[in-house]
Amino acid sequence: MAELGRAALVVTLGLCLYAVVAGSYAASRRRRRLALSARNALIAAFGSTLVAAAVLAAGFLRSDFSLTYVADHSNRSLSGVYKLSAFWGGQEGSLLLWLLILTGYAALAVWINRNRTRDLVVWVTPVLAGIAVGFSFLLVVVASPFAVQAPPLDGAGLNPSLQNPYMMSHPPFLYLGYVGLAVPFAFAMGALLSGRTDERWIVATRRWTLIAWTALGIGQLLGSHWAYVEVGWGGYYAWDPVENAALMPFLAATAFLHSVMIQEKRGMLKVWNVVLVALAFCLSLFGTFLTRSGVVNSIHSFSQSDIGPWFLAFIVIAVVFSTTLIVWRLPLLRSTTRLESLVSREAVFLYNNLLLVALCLTILWGVAWPILSEAVRGTSVVVGRPYYDFFLRIFGLPLLLLMGVGPLIAWRRASLRGLGRTFLWPFVISLVTGVVLLVLGAGSSIPGLIAYTFSAFVLAAIGLEFVRGTRARRALSSESWPGAFASLIGRNRRRYGGYVVHVAIVLLAIGIAGSSAYDSVVEGKLSPGQSLAVSGYTVTFQKLTERDTPHAAEVRAHVAVSRNGKDLGTMEAGKNSYKIAGPAPQVSSEVGIRTNYLTGEDLFVIPEQVNDDGTVYFRIFVKPLVNLIWLAGLVFLLGSVIALWPDAREQRRLAVRYDEAGSPARGQ
Amino acid sequence: MSLAILLGAALAVVCVVLVALPFLREPDPASDELDELTPERRQRLALAEERDRALAALKELEADHRAGRINDEDYRASIGPLRREAAEALRALDR
């Protein structure tokens, strides 16, 4: 069925090219039927891409090794579920997944907005189609997943590190995020192309941005957890260039989600918002380029290939296109209002934006510098952890504080006397927290202590917001406390959903500070019966066992764990040597993790080296509060769902607004 | 192989029909012009956005004041200009 897959991709490319050319012509010459035809072509492109994706998925499930891609990334012994995840285990399949999500999003976006923002959508269609042309061209001409060969008896198998439940979900979530940013980008560009820079493009893309942003956030946390449990180095984020590639568009999109509120509330920052949307999308392309091109050395180097120059050209086109449009339409983007006071919520949002973008650009520089250095000077340099950690503290800690300051300050302006009253309780709580932590010994890390103190401030501020809001709601409607609380959130979903997301970020900050600033580590070579002690734990190496499975040869070190003399049971950690084709066996570390769910602490055992004489070189970490990071993911998702939940009141208000203004007629 | 080619051809035909559908449905329409916001309607939309913004700001100020986030002094200083903005937007929309 490779011919069908290839044909489907050629059809997709043809449809997208048609949507670009016909859509642009129809939009500029105001041709209604041609615009509808271009829209239909974009929707049909999703159908044909779906056919191509189904052919490839069927190839994996049927172990059709006549498809080179299938043979290179799976084998007969691979379980069904990993056969499916092998779809995105390599270059071509990942690009196909990108295209599938893009055309799916595009079809949905132009269909949903076909009435209310039709004069925008006619321009959005060719922009989205243009992006899809880039990816379908790569899949048809440069990196086809449907290349065929004489089928071998068995495939090469899937990279062992990808045979993990987190790898089932981490790449799709990241792609849902990366690709999702194409929709707000296309609407922003559509608004500029059509000259309709009113709020409709923002209203139309609010949820898309939030969905993409949530997916990027969850995708990164899933990737972090995968690194934590699977890669076996004792951490969850290594400032790897490809990890950074996902963080950068997330930061830009975070800045946009905040600054867009200033445009909605005050009609300000119109230029800044389109710049942020363009930045977020171009960074998502850059992220895909880093992941897919193999231009940087990374833990993700399993996806190296030669599509780099094509992708670079794609990024250059996107940057030049968006910059030209923004400069061209600058006169339309002038704000009618000005910042009234530097002590106001919009000012806090502005500071937050500056810090987020500064952090984003700092990371971009850290990622780009080694590439530029190698390209220009021919020497490779490494931008390491200290660089990123330094800027994370410099920009991240004030950002954390601003999350608490923002909700306490009113829009437009606030008097210092009023601020004193609203800040009193959060300030007292954070001060007490800081002093108590200092007494308990948290002063060993000043950034950690500051992070905890600021976290207490933010949690107090958010808690106060919920209490005050519920009390006011109760006074107004005589509801019960739970009823008033639910009603408060239900009537202000974006605001309170946002606060829940802020709680998630605080949990993340506490988890990161705890596990990185206050962790303990011990290492050493142990023979059976010998022990290592760390942070009150005693880990005693008991024995080694070996097991042969159809997929791998497994060796496990069994250790007994006790804390302050109390027996906590045993743990296993070891190495798997996978039986897959290749010049050398692929070996993975299978770490042992013991979680204390009450304190959120992990005891993390890595058997660094298993020796022939029966000794094992262990590295053992104690990571306080690390599990708050994963809990933050759940809270983050909850907050996002609250903010995303449809608001009937707002829909009615928008309907009234557009009906009064007489937006383009419906039913075409 | 032949089945794959057949399915590929069928896919192409379905896509072509879908793309051609607007022309097949309306071979000879009375107007092929895209409906567009006239300058007057665009002006009304801008005014409606302005009005919604002012009313939302008023509502938020009231809620903040009720919840104790804003003291009486700040409330009094802000409410007047906001009411004027909302009234101006409503007047402009009524014209």
Side-chain angles (χ1 to χ4, degrees), chain A residues 25 91 104 129 153 168 180 184 217 255 260 286 309 329 410-411 438 443 463 514 521 535 541 609 627:
Chain A
Y25 184 80
Q91 174 82 275
L153 286 176
M168 288 288 296
V260 82
F286 185 61
R329 291 301 196 185
W411 289 98
L438 199 59
V521 61
S535 285
F541 175 36
Q609 198 175 329
N627 287 288

Side-chain angles (χ1 to χ4, degrees), chain A residues 60 73-74 78-87 158 162-168:
Chain A
F60 273 110
H73 296 94
S74 70
L78 202 62
S79 67
V81 75
Y82 289 130
K83 275 185 180 172
L84 216 52
S85 70
F87 187 111
L158 183 66
L162 300 181
Q163 294 179 40
N164 180 286
Y166 290 101
M167 273 298 124
M168 288 288 296

Side-chain angles (χ1 to χ4, degrees), chain A residues 21 90 101 110 112 168 215 223 233 262 266 288 334 344 445 487 582:
Chain A
V21 176
I101 297 172
V110 296
I112 288 173
M168 288 288 296
W233 57 279
I262 305 181
R266 302 295 320 278
T288 313
R334 288 209 183 93
S344 59
S445 165
S487 159

Side-chain angles (χ1 to χ4, degrees), chain A residues 360-406:
Chain A
C360 177
L361 294 181
T362 307
I363 295 170
L364 178 63
W365 183 245
V367 172
W369 174 241
I371 304 169
L372 293 173
S373 173
E374 182 139 8
V376 176
R377 300 192 308 179
T379 54
S380 180
V381 293
V382 176
V383 177
R385 188 170 197 107
Y387 168 87
Y388 294 111
D389 281 350
F390 174 77
F391 284 106
L392 180 66
R393 286 169 194 153
I394 293 294
F395 298 127
L397 289 174
L399 264 172
L400 186 61
L401 181 65
L402 285 179
M403 279 199 311
V405 173

Side-chain angles (χ1 to χ4, degrees), chain B:
Chain B
M1 171 107 135
S2 58
L3 178 66
I5 290 173
L6 205 65
L7 288 173
L11 176 69
V13 169
V14 168
C15 290
V16 167
V17 169
L18 197 61
V19 169
L21 203 57
F23 296 98
L24 296 173
R25 270 187 178 164
E26 294 181 87
D28 191 18
S31 166
D32 195 27
E33 276 280 300
L34 263 173
D35 190 15
E36 196 181 10
L37 282 179
T38 59
E40 293 75 34
R41 283 155 75 188
R42 261 189 274 164
Q43 176 68 17
R44 281 190 71 77
L45 181 60
L47 288 170
E49 284 179 355
E50 200 59 50
R51 175 205 58 196
D52 287 354
R53 202 175 286 140
L55 291 176
L58 262 177
K59 203 174 143 193
E60 189 137 15
L61 185 72
E62 295 285 356
D64 282 350
H65 183 235
R66 255 198 320 272
R69 278 186 287 265
I70 294 175
N71 63 15
D72 293 345
E73 185 189 332
D74 286 351
Y75 174 76
R76 276 195 297 273
S78 302
I79 191 82
L82 273 180
R83 279 185 180 148
R84 266 195 300 282
E85 271 177 39
E88 276 169 25
L90 283 166
R91 260 199 304 275
L93 210 50
D94 284 342
R95 274 199 286 269

Side-chain angles (χ1 to χ4, degrees), chain A residues 145-374:
Chain A
F146 299 109
V148 289
Q149 62 180 5
L153 286 176
D154 202 358
L158 183 66
N159 189 315
S161 58
L162 300 181
Q163 294 179 40
N164 180 286
Y166 290 101
M167 273 298 124
M168 288 288 296
S169 48
H170 163 62
F173 266 99
L174 274 192
Y175 278 21
L176 282 170
Y178 279 143
V179 186
L181 291 173
V183 177
F185 171 78
F187 270 85
M189 296 304 111
L192 294 176
L193 283 163
S194 63
R196 309 289 179 261
T197 52
D198 51 75
E199 268 182 31
R200 285 176 303 157
W201 78 269
I202 286 175
V203 172
T205 59
R206 203 186 278 153
R207 285 205 162 73
W208 290 101
T209 314
L210 206 49
I211 288 169
W213 178 79
T214 304
L216 258 183
I218 295 294
Q220 286 176 88
L221 273 177
L222 287 169
S224 293
H225 203 257
W226 168 76
Y228 188 66
V229 300
E230 186 66 23
V231 183
W233 57 279
Y236 40 80
Y237 197 87
W239 295 107
D240 178 279
V242 176
E243 291 173 339
N244 292 341
L247 183 58
M248 289 185 287
F250 180 78
L251 292 173
T254 308
F256 172 68
L257 282 172
H258 287 86
S259 68
V260 82
M261 278 189 265
I262 305 181
Q263 183 168 342
E264 286 180 64
K265 301 266 186 195
R266 302 295 320 278
M268 294 159 58
L269 301 186
K270 290 179 182 173
V271 179
W272 181 245
N273 281 326
V274 288
V275 167
L276 282 181
V277 163
L279 178 69
F281 175 67
C282 291
L283 285 172
S284 81
L285 283 182
F286 185 61
T288 313
F289 163 73
L290 284 180
T291 317
R292 294 288 131 213
S293 67
V295 72
V296 289
N297 285 323
S298 154
I299 191 173
H300 301 76
S301 54
F302 47 76
S303 56
Q304 288 187 2
S305 80
D306 55 357
I307 64 160
W310 295 97
F311 232 101
L312 212 51
F314 196 12
I315 294 169
V316 169
I317 290 170
V319 170
V320 170
F321 172 72
S322 49
T323 308
T324 307
L325 269 184
I326 292 168
V327 171
W328 176 42
R329 291 301 196 185
L330 272 180
L332 289 178
L333 296 169
R334 288 209 183 93
S335 297
T336 50
T337 48
R338 300 177 74 88
L339 194 65
E340 288 180 28
S341 164
L342 292 176
V343 187
S344 59
R345 192 174 295 176
E346 52 267 49
V348 172
F349 277 20
L350 198 60
Y351 307 144
N352 138 306
N353 260 242
L354 293 174
L355 289 166
L356 281 166
V357 172
L359 182 58
C360 177
L361 294 181
T362 307
I363 295 170
L364 178 63
W365 183 245
V367 172
W369 174 241
I371 304 169
L372 293 173
S373 173
E374 182 139 8

